[in-house]
Every structure is written in structure tokens, then in C-alpha cells.
Amino acid sequence: MRKKIVAGNWKMNLTWDDSQALAMELAMLQSTQGQSGPEMILAPAFPNLVAVAQAIKGAAGMHLAAQNVHQAASGAYTGEVSVSMLKSVSCTHAIIGHSERRQYFGESNQLLAQKINSVLQAGLTPIYCFGETLEEREGEKTFKVIESQLREATFHLNSDQFSSLILAYEPVWAIGTGKTATPEQAQEVHAFVRKLIADQFGTALADGVSILYGGSVKADNAKELFSQPDIDGGLVGGASLKASEFAAIARSF
Ligand code: PGA
């Protein structure tokens, strides 16, 4: 079912104490939204997952996400974290394929397909990120790049599996730069993605998938973005580190 969602990607920021304090403040603010608010997903760094899990325990509509996961179930992969470890600390979601993972850690669509498989197998929800670089946009390759990012990492799934995904369109040139895609630019890509999904899996499934926009989402541009017909919420970096700002984004539907 298509849902309204705001997800906060805290990246490599905040200590245990800071993470817990921020999550507690958000849980309080979220409780005033009642049933009508969007789902809120928080993605702290690995060591702080437990702190956030404790802070949001019992809070309606709040969920815990990892920022990454290893594709293997267990074994000799020093420094890595498996999906069963995430599950054991109450993670329900995992961000997969963030552009920083693609850029700095060389994650390919093929690898991301494996990560998505592991996350789904464990019963968690992948938040699959994709988006073009500035060079690709200027070279008019946006749609081609996005199609292969989707096709190669997710189109091997069956309909049931695909319908469990959350998607996030994040143009790389808009992440952490203060440059937001205009609502029209974002909507154009979201509509294209929904059409690709419809062609592959049928219209009913495509209509039910939540597609988030990410890239310099702030309280003062969220409303315009979220009012687009194919934008179901935001994956927010910098602006998710301040409770009042992120809560204001969550009120922007
Ligand atoms: P930003 O990051 O909101 O700081 O641009 C978004 C993201 O990387 O998910």
C-alpha cells in the first residue's frame, strides 16, 4: 500500500547520546501528529541503532533503519554487519544503494540486487536509492541511468517482493549541495519510474509503491515537493539532524 513516509538518513553523524536525544524528541513530536502523520523512519549509524530503538519503542508510526547491510548471511567479512544482526536490534528497514555507497564504496547495481535479496529474505524493507549525477543529467542520460539502476537491482524480484520495496529518487547533484531538484524535475522522474514499474509489474503494483524524493529536502521546500502526484515523501539527510526541522518536514503533507 502506498504510504506517506519521511526517512532521516543521519549518515556518519551523532554519538549514542545525541542519537538517543534526537530520537526521543522526534518520538514526542511525532506523537502529537496522531494517526494522520506520515510514517517516520530513522537511520542512525550502526553503533547507535540500539539507542534509537530504545527511544522510539512503542512510538506509533516510527521505524528503525540501517544505512547499509552486507549481502552475506554471516561469515568472515571483517567490519561488516549482516541483516540478522540488524533484525536482532529491531531494525525494520535498510537503506540500500545510497549514492555515497555507490560513489565511495564502489557498490554496483549487481551488488545492490544481492543486498536487496538478503534484506527481503529476512523480512525487512529495503529503501532502494537511485539517481543521476550532474554529468549524467547534463548529458541527457538521466532516464537511461535510472532505468538501469532500477532494472539491474530490482526487476529480478517477483511482484510480491517488489511490492515490499520503498524507492528513493536522489539526484546526486542535489545531495548535501543545497540544490534541490525543482518539484517539476522530481515529479518527471518519479512519474517515469512509476511507468517503468507499471510496464514491468502492472499498474496496480506501480500505484502502490512509495517513491520518496531525496536531495536537500528542507522544511521550506518539502510541501511543494510532497504535493506532486508521484512523490510520496522524502529521504532527508542534513535537515533530519534537527528535531524541529525534521518534524516540520513531516508536517508538510
Ligand atoms: P541531504 O541528503 O538531504 O543532506 O541532501 C539526502 C540523502 O543523502 O539521503
Side-chain angles (χ1 to χ4, degrees), residues 237-250:
S240 70
L241 294 169
K242 257 190 81 188
S244 56
E245 175 87 8
F246 192 51
I249 293 171

Side-chain angles (χ1 to χ4, degrees), residues 44-75:
F46 284 137
N48 303 326
L49 285 168
V50 173
V52 175
Q54 289 169 352
I56 65 173
K57 196 165 182 209
M62 294 192 76
H63 306 281
L64 185 63
Q67 297 174 15
N68 178 36
V69 65
H70 195 270
Q71 64 277 14
S74 64

Side-chain angles (χ1 to χ4, degrees), residues 9 11 98-100 170 174-177 214-217 235-239:
N9 175 10
K11 308 193 181 182
H98 190 279
S99 66
E100 287 149 17
E170 298 207 307
I175 296 177
T177 57
S216 298
V217 175
L235 177 53
V236 185

